[in-house]
């Protein structure tokens, strides 16, 4: 449907007449900015030769886009591209093979193979019974008439061979799909698909089957050696929650996906741990017991360290079809050779911080007490008396705080 709108008279090519603008009511249109059609500068190597006759450069080729339209117009929908997130360390992860990805394989119900196999066996038995090749005693037990044995001709041998092949092909392809497991099928080295169905299944007996677990799994590592940002040797234990997302890449894209995951966990853990110190102790050179240094980020922030480790493992394991949900350090301890010394260092730092906190509170209390006494005119003190009062109050408050701490 097309409608026409009129505009007021203007200075057009035919003065005094209304200008008609056709409007297509059934289409949804989108404005295209003019600056995307013409460019005044030439940037990059993709730009073509300049046209100095008209004074502008040739436009840079833009990627084709699909304009949104109403449903039912027959136009293809816009294709959404997944966002590409680089690894947290700034370096890209291993590339993914675009030709290797999981796709469903052609399988049938297992009962189809069972029925076909039984029918083939029944046909073989009927041929042998009709030829008299089955012992008479067995035929008598089944209540069937006994035929005399007259030998097997070439036609019967062909029928028997065909029946045996059908029976082996039908019964040999029967498999059982379990919950949480999948089959990866290959035929002469070529990937033929994956099977995630459960129950009795029939697959071609010519394909090679490889079973892989696709359930949610967790793995706790052994204590792994590492070094923090200050060079102190550590022992770190990491727990990883993961599962196989793409069975084709997990089986065919890497030799052993579980070993690959364990090695990537150790590598990523070493990279994350080396960026932060294990603890922020008071440095006797740059700080003091009375004024300890400000405590920054350390490896004791399990949430931050676990988030960084998880993102790093996701980037490294995506190419082999492994999906990592969480990687959390559950224990970060110093190596046995320095554990005792670092424990004493930690206790000394905590004691220094505690003394500094107590002393600060005592000084604040003494200052507030002296200020109130003098501001309200309760006492008039000279310099000597003020120092004596401050000394006595400090000793009293500090002894009181020490007694409370001991309790």
């Amino acid at each position: 449907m097309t409608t026409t709108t009129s505009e007021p008279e203007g200075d057009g090519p035919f003065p005094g007449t209304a200008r008609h603008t056709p409007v297509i009511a059934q289409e949804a249109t989108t404005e295209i900015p003019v600056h995307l059609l013409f460019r005044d500068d030439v940037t990059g190597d993709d730009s073509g030769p300049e046209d100095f006759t008209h004074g502008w450069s040739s436009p840079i080729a833009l990627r084709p886009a699909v304009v949104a339209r109403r449903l039912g117009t027959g136009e293809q929908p816009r294709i959404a591209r997944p966002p590409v997130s680089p690894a947290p360390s700034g370096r890209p992860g291993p590339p993914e093979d675009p030709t290797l990805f999981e796709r469903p394989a052609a399988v049938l119900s297992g009962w189809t193979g069972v029925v076909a196999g039984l029918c083939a066996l029944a046909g073989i038995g009927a041929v042998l019974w009709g030829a008299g090749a089955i012992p008479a005693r067995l035929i008598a037990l089944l209540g069937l008439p006994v035929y005399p044995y007259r030998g097997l001709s070439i036609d019967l041998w062909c029928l028997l061979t065909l029946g045996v092949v059908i029976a082996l092909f039908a019964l040999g392809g029967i498999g059982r799909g379990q919950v949480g497991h999948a089959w990866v099928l290959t035929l002469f080295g070529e990937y033929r698909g994956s099977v995630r169905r459960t129950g009795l299944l029939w697959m071609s007996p010519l394909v090679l089957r490889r079973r892989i677990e696709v359930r949610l799994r967790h793995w706790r590592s052994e204590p792994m050696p590492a070094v923090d940002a200050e060079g102190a040797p550590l022992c770190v234990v990491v727990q990883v929650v993961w599962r196989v997302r793409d069975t084709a890449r997990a089986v065919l894209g890497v030799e052993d996906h579980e070993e690959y995951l364990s090695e990537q966990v150790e590598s990523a853990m070493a990279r994350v741990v080396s960026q932060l110190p294990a603890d922020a102790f008071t440095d006797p050179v740059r700080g003091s017991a009375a004024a300890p240094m400000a405590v920054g980020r350390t490896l004791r922030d399990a949430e931050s360290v676990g988030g960084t480790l998880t993102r790093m493992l996701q980037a490294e394991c995506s190419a082999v079809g492994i999906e990592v949900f969480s990687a959390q350090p559950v224990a970060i301890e110093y190596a046995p050779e320095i554990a005792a010394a670092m424990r004493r260092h930690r206790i000394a730092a905590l004691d220094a911080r505690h003394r500094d906190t107590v002393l600060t509170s005592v000084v604040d209390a003494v200052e507030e007490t002296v200020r109130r006494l003098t501001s309200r005119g309760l006492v008039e003190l000279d310099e000597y008396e003020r120092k004596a009062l401050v000394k006595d109050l400090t000793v009293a408050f500090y002894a009181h705080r020490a007694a409370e701490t001991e309790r």
Side-chain angles (χ1 to χ4, degrees):
M1 176 180 179
T2 304
T3 60
T4 304
T5 59
S6 299
E7 296 183 358
E9 299 181 358
D11 298 333
F14 301 98
T17 61
R19 182 167 54 187
H20 300 278
T21 303
V23 177
I24 302 175
Q26 297 297 332
E27 297 289 338
T29 60
T30 303
E31 295 182 0
I32 301 178
V34 179
H35 70 277
L36 295 180
L37 302 178
F38 306 99
R39 300 290 295 269
D40 294 336
D41 54 347
V42 180
T43 58
D45 298 334
D46 297 336
S47 58
E50 296 184 355
D51 189 350
F52 296 99
T53 305
H54 297 82
W56 50 273
S57 304
S58 60
I60 298 176
L62 302 176
R63 292 182 298 177
V66 178
V67 181
R69 298 183 64 179
R70 298 178 185 272
L71 295 177
T73 59
E75 186 175 336
Q76 295 293 332
R78 182 182 289 108
I79 300 175
R81 296 181 174 85
V84 179
S85 56
S89 60
R91 65 181 187 184
E96 299 181 356
D97 187 358
T99 61
L100 184 62
F101 56 91
E102 180 180 339
R103 58 180 181 270
V107 295
L108 298 176
S109 174
W111 295 108
T112 303
V114 172
V115 172
L118 293 178
C119 291
L121 293 178
I124 294 173
V127 170
L128 294 177
W129 170 54
I134 300 178
R137 186 175 299 177
L138 180 60
I139 297 299
L141 291 177
L142 296 177
L144 298 175
V146 178
Y147 296 100
Y149 178 71
R150 295 188 298 268
L152 296 176
S153 63
I154 187 65
D155 297 336
L156 295 181
W157 277 112
C158 291
L159 289 177
L160 290 176
T161 304
L162 180 61
V164 171
V165 170
I166 294 177
L168 292 177
F169 195 81
L171 298 179
I174 297 176
R176 182 169 58 94
Q178 298 181 358
V179 177
H181 294 78
W183 294 98
V184 178
L185 310 182
T186 56
L187 180 62
F188 305 118
E190 181 184 0
Y191 175 62
R192 305 299 295 177
S194 301
V195 180
R196 288 180 178 259
R197 293 172 54 183
T198 59
L200 199 61
L201 305 173
W202 184 88
M203 297 164 279
S204 174
L206 300 179
V207 299
L208 178 62
R209 312 174 192 177
R210 300 184 185 180
R211 184 186 292 272
I212 183 173
E213 187 175 354
V214 294
R215 293 181 294 184
L216 190 66
R217 305 169 65 181
H218 68 279
W219 173 70
R220 186 186 181 98
S221 69
E222 297 293 332
M224 296 180 292
V227 178
D228 67 353
E230 296 180 350
L234 305 173
C235 291
V236 185
V237 178
V238 181
Q239 181 172 351
V240 184
V241 179
W242 63 284
R243 72 176 178 186
V244 174
R245 174 178 51 86
D246 193 306
T247 57
R249 290 176 175 172
V251 174
L252 305 176
V254 68
E255 183 177 0
D256 188 346
H257 64 280
E258 295 185 4
E259 183 179 358
Y260 177 86
L261 175 63
S262 63
E263 292 179 355
Q264 290 299 325
V265 168
E266 185 174 1
S267 174
M269 181 272 302
R271 289 158 55 191
V272 172
V273 170
S274 63
Q275 298 175 4
L276 296 173
D279 292 291
F281 295 135
T282 302
D283 194 336
V285 177
R286 293 175 294 175
S288 61
M293 296 175 55
V295 179
R297 292 182 54 197
T298 65
L299 295 178
R300 304 304 175 184
D301 187 1
E303 187 69 24
S304 177
V305 174
T308 304
L309 184 61
T310 301
R311 291 190 297 270
M312 196 173 295
L313 283 177
Q314 287 173 350
E316 296 292 338
C317 297
S318 176
V320 296
I322 296 178
E323 185 175 9
V324 179
F325 293 97
S326 69
Q328 190 70 30
V330 295
I332 301 178
E333 300 294 340
Y334 289 99
E337 57 270 18
I338 66 168
M342 299 307 295
R343 189 179 300 110
R344 291 193 298 269
H345 196 180
R346 182 185 304 174
I347 294 174
L350 293 176
D351 185 57
R353 292 175 186 173
H354 175 69
R355 289 198 304 268
D356 180 74
T357 302
V358 172
L359 185 58
T360 301
S361 62
V362 168
V363 171
D364 293 340
V366 171
E367 181 182 5
E368 182 67 17
T369 302
V370 174
R371 186 186 63 80
R372 289 188 177 186
L373 290 175
T374 55
S375 62
R376 296 182 181 182
L378 298 179
V379 293
E380 293 183 359
L381 304 173
D382 55 11
E383 189 66 21
Y384 177 79
E385 293 174 343
R386 179 185 295 274
K387 292 181 180 180
L389 180 60
V390 168
K391 179 181 178 180
D392 295 339
L393 290 176
T394 301
V395 173
F397 285 162
Y398 194 85
H400 179 68
R401 295 294 175 87
E404 289 183 350
T405 303
E406 291 178 357
R407 294 198 196 118

